[in-house]
Amino acid sequence: MSTNEKLARAMDSLPLPDSAELSRALAEANVQTLLAAYAHLSRDFALLDRFAPHIKPAFSGEITVIPDDLAEELRGKMRHLLTTGEGLHKDAPSDALIQRIMSVTVGEAVEDEFIDAVFDQCGFRPWIDRSQVEGRRKPPANFKVLVIGAGLTGMAAATKLREAGYDYVVIEKNSDVGGTWYENRYPGVGVDTPSHFYSFSWEIWPDWTHYHPQGADMQRYMLAVADKYKLRENMRFGTAVETLVYDDKSGTWTVTVRNPDGSHEDIVANAVINGHGPVNRFRWPDIPGLNDFDGPVVHTANWPADLDVTGKRVAVIGTGASSAQLVGAIAPKVASLNVYQRTKHWVLSNPEIADDVSEGMKWALTHIPTYLEWFRFRVYWNAADGLFSNVLKDPEWEGNSLAVSAANEGIRQYALSHLHARMADRPDIIEKLTPDFPIFSKRIILDNGWLDALARDNVHLETGGIARILPNGVEGKDGTFYECDIIVCATGFNVAKMIGNLTIKGVGGRDLGEEWGEDDARSYMGMCIPGYPNYFHTVGPNSAPNHAAGQNMISECQVNWIIEALDRIVEADAKAFEVKQDAYDAWNRKVEERMPEMIWTHPGANSYYNNSKGRVFLSWPWRLVDFFTETRRPAEGSYDLHK
């Protein structure tokens, strides 16, 4: 069922009974979102205008205070519309009206450039359903696409390839879908991106239990999507891709996979979409003696299902996002916990990160037409491109060197105030945790019990570094020794080596592993490399939305672009699509020219966004809406079609 059909069916469900569930939903629903849904359904411009002076932008420093009587009037009007159907408009509103609703309900102008992206991503008008495009040439039956990985991007590719009529197979090394969320199961694992945005635009979910999903919530969503869209029919589990070799003459890839029984098999495909993701290959720390420890040594990304830390003495190496989530979850259970900090990180308070979605809110998301779509828009605006100003250097900024703009300094002060308030009686921890670089120049931590855990008597934060691991514990560089039962490495992933352990041979035997080396991956739009026709590397170099939420949107956009590229092959009776060298070169120059304007090139910034030479190889230096616009179709003149 298309999104438009879903909305039409929701409209047809009206009128609703005047029930206790409706009353609770109206009481608990977000007021601005309720206003958006009401204006969409009723075209009540007068009420929209009366709300406008009270709604302020999320990061303006001003507070939105909606008068109680105005909010109650809205609830009353919405109740009347929903229970009687009087004043309901079932026809689709104009773009101008949608834009007006958007601008009022987020308290700032939403410009024309956002309209197509919002319509697509929030489910009002999906960008394209290729099965419904009149005159589009259908892919031939013998044109096969192989997708590597059944995580977020691989599932998006499977859904849209099927919709577009392509024969495809997904190769997944795990026993089910989910990727990151199948593998990461450590206590406290969660998602920074708000639930109602971190999902597919064609399957916006009302069933989240938390406003920021825990890992199990995310995997539950992925499983539900796989079931609904019957994605497993074209998936092979327990199978790992090892080698990809391009044949110049046939324009095909021979993909060697290792089957569950250990045997090897060659699969010939016309095109390959690599969706194995950069946060898939976890990294162990290089610490002397790590392999000599007598107890369990585990990585957060490979947490044993039977590991019980209750009453144990635990050492956690690392203080990034995974560590913060884990420490917040296990600190009350362990006997003692030493946390070894290698790098400081900014910590932001998000009051709703641990909040459950109330029953009334769930009811509103499920039963009030357009409410779900409008709530997704609100989350996108405030958690994604609304944060972009934080990572863009202001050349006129004359403030301190720990910020790059007034907006960035405002967020920095907000983070500092949270740290000082939480640790008011622990100046020692404040000193240990306060970074000396701008906020957002590295990945931030959302506080979900992290600071509270560090303030506990059974938790100690070590900042002096580790000298070595002994069979019974951890020795610090200052000579201190911590005897422990379990060592947990929260030390991240080898993001920079983007092809992982794959061997990829292109035209004339070119070797992508040799060309990219250990950490110098480059591509066109995070997807294509000259010399590797019909090989599409998703979530590749300079395509990560490191300013905010949005990896789901990046994945969808790349899948859209790739299918457009495949359609060019079909339309031209060609064998292969290859990005031109000059387009590739121009794109990389554009990125390099842009990076000095971004926070990630600040002298204090050095993170996994940078390679060993300091180049920012990971981050997309523009907004999400810009990525959406750039990926509607391959630019004319940027590619060759080989026949």
Side-chain angles (χ1 to χ4, degrees), residues 56 61 63 129 376-377 492 591 620:
K56 309 300 180 184
I63 299 175
D129 178 347
R376 182 176 170 101
F377 160 70
V591 170
W620 167 256

Side-chain angles (χ1 to χ4, degrees), residues 130-142 163-166 563-564 566-574 643:
R130 290 175 180 84
S131 67
Q132 303 299 314
V133 175
E134 188 174 348
R136 172 180 173 265
R137 189 170 182 181
K138 292 183 179 180
N142 62 348
E163 182 181 271
Y166 282 94
I563 294 178
E564 285 292 310
L566 296 178
D567 277 2
R568 299 298 185 277
I569 299 170
V570 172
E571 290 163 3
D573 281 324
K643 295 192 176 184

Side-chain angles (χ1 to χ4, degrees), residues 165-411:
Y166 282 94
D167 179 24
Y168 71 94
V169 62
V170 180
I171 306 298
E172 169 55 53
K173 71 180 188 301
N174 294 321
S175 60
D176 209 336
V177 302
T180 293
W181 306 112
Y182 175 92
E183 295 173 358
N184 283 260
R185 304 182 182 191
Y186 58 85
V189 60
V191 183
D192 291 351
T193 302
S195 308
H196 297 87
F197 181 49
Y198 193 47
S199 54
F200 297 121
S201 63
W202 54 84
E203 192 58 37
I204 305 175
W205 223 33
D207 296 334
W208 298 105
T209 57
H210 304 87
Y211 283 106
H212 283 254
Q214 298 173 359
D217 296 331
M218 195 64 220
Q219 180 63 0
R220 186 167 62 96
Y221 170 77
M222 304 288 263
L223 293 172
V225 171
D227 290 342
K228 180 173 181 178
Y229 291 86
K230 298 181 172 59
L231 297 183
R232 295 183 187 84
E233 293 177 357
N234 288 63
M235 292 181 172
R236 291 176 55 174
F237 295 104
T239 306
V241 174
E242 294 186 344
T243 304
L244 298 85
V245 178
Y246 184 71
D247 183 85
D248 300 16
K249 185 176 180 180
S250 65
T252 59
W253 287 90
T254 297
V255 182
T256 303
V257 304
R258 186 180 68 252
N259 291 314
D261 63 2
S263 65
H264 286 81
E265 176 186 353
D266 287 343
I267 302 172
V268 177
N270 298 85
V272 175
I273 300 175
N274 189 342
H276 72 174
V279 289
N280 183 262
R281 299 162 295 281
F282 57 84
R283 180 169 53 196
W284 293 103
D286 184 15
I287 300 174
L290 186 65
N291 295 328
D292 299 329
F293 184 68
D294 287 339
V297 178
V298 304
H299 196 285
T300 49
N302 191 31
W303 189 270
D306 59 352
L307 182 63
D308 185 5
V309 300
T310 304
K312 301 294 177 62
R313 299 166 299 177
V314 181
V316 174
I317 301 172
T319 51
S322 297
S323 174
Q325 292 172 352
L326 173 72
V327 169
I330 69 173
K333 302 176 183 179
V334 300
S336 65
L337 178 59
N338 266 26
V339 182
Y340 292 86
Q341 177 175 277
R342 302 182 302 169
T343 304
K344 297 178 180 181
H345 294 274
W346 282 104
V347 180
L348 276 178
S349 170
N350 183 341
E352 70 174 21
I353 192 167
D355 287 354
D356 294 340
V357 182
S358 71
E359 291 305 312
M361 184 68 172
K362 287 181 183 177
W363 198 96
L365 290 163
T366 303
H367 296 285
I368 297 178
T370 77
Y371 186 89
L372 177 64
E373 291 76 20
W374 280 112
F375 192 71
R376 182 176 170 101
F377 160 70
R378 182 171 179 78
V379 174
Y380 157 73
W381 191 259
N382 292 335
D385 280 342
L387 294 170
F388 186 74
S389 61
N390 284 291
V391 299
L392 186 63
K393 294 177 183 176
D394 178 1
E396 304 299 322
W397 171 246
E398 297 180 349
N400 66 70
S401 62
L402 296 181
V404 298
S405 67
N408 187 238
E409 174 64 9
I411 294 290

